[in-house]
Amino acid sequence: MILAFVRPDGAPKPAWFSGLALESTGEVGGRAVHFGLGGRASRYRSDGLAVSAESSIVAPQGRPYAAAVADAYRRFGHACVQSLPGRFRFLLHDAEAGQLFAASSTAPPWPLSYWSDSRTTIVSSRLLPMLRCPEVPRALDESYLVH
């Protein structure tokens, strides 16, 4: 499982993150970025990039898939998703650009869940861990449902 939690800088790390390997990766627009990692997800951090990724395949040369995502992002920017093989989802924090970039494959789909308000943004590969956050509503937003 991968998860990104963004909230105002200086706000304490929430207790509901327990059980996840949590890492601060910097900030985006004055808001602190924290990555959570669990299960078989991989992590990569170098030169201002922090990546957490899950994939259905092993990256070339036995490297973590998160490292392959970072390489593709450095080469192609946001278009990197077109060059990544297999079924994947990732979260990437580019500290230099001040961006949090989340993407997932569409064929076959492997979606990401997200929620945001004026203070907090959460992006996760699973919905249930997001529901540990007390601010996340317990009702579906029907405008995002697909028939």
Side-chain angles (χ1 to χ4, degrees):
M1 186 202 68
I2 55 176
L3 183 139
F5 180 75
V6 183
R7 68 181 308 155
D9 200 10
K13 293 178 186 176
W16 58 268
F17 254 128
S18 65
L20 287 176
L22 185 64
E23 166 184 358
S24 177
T25 64
E27 66 175 52
V28 171
R31 298 188 316 159
V33 178
H34 304 282
F35 276 7
L37 186 73
R40 295 182 298 178
S42 65
R43 177 179 299 177
Y44 175 82
R45 191 168 183 169
S46 177
D47 302 327
L49 290 183
V51 181
S52 290
E54 291 178 305
S55 175
S56 62
I57 65 168
V58 175
Q61 301 162 353
R63 298 175 63 212
Y65 197 80
V69 170
D71 291 346
Y73 178 78
R74 284 189 184 103
R75 186 168 179 198
F76 302 112
H78 292 154
C80 67
V81 296
Q82 298 168 350
S83 68
L84 294 170
R87 197 170 144 198
F88 64 86
R89 51 189 166 202
F90 68 84
L91 303 168
L92 182 145
H93 179 212
D94 183 340
E96 190 173 301
Q99 294 183 344
L100 179 65
F101 178 45
S104 66
S105 59
T106 57
W110 215 9
L112 291 166
S113 300
Y114 67 94
W115 173 81
S116 186
D117 68 5
S118 62
R119 291 178 35 93
T120 304
T121 301
I122 303 171
V123 182
S124 179
S125 59
R126 298 206 178 99
L127 179 61
L128 291 178
M130 289 175 53
L131 294 176
R132 292 183 194 157
C133 177
E135 292 101 4
V136 174
R138 301 307 185 262
L140 292 174
D141 183 341
E142 291 186 21
S143 65
Y144 287 96
L145 294 178
V146 177
H147 298 284

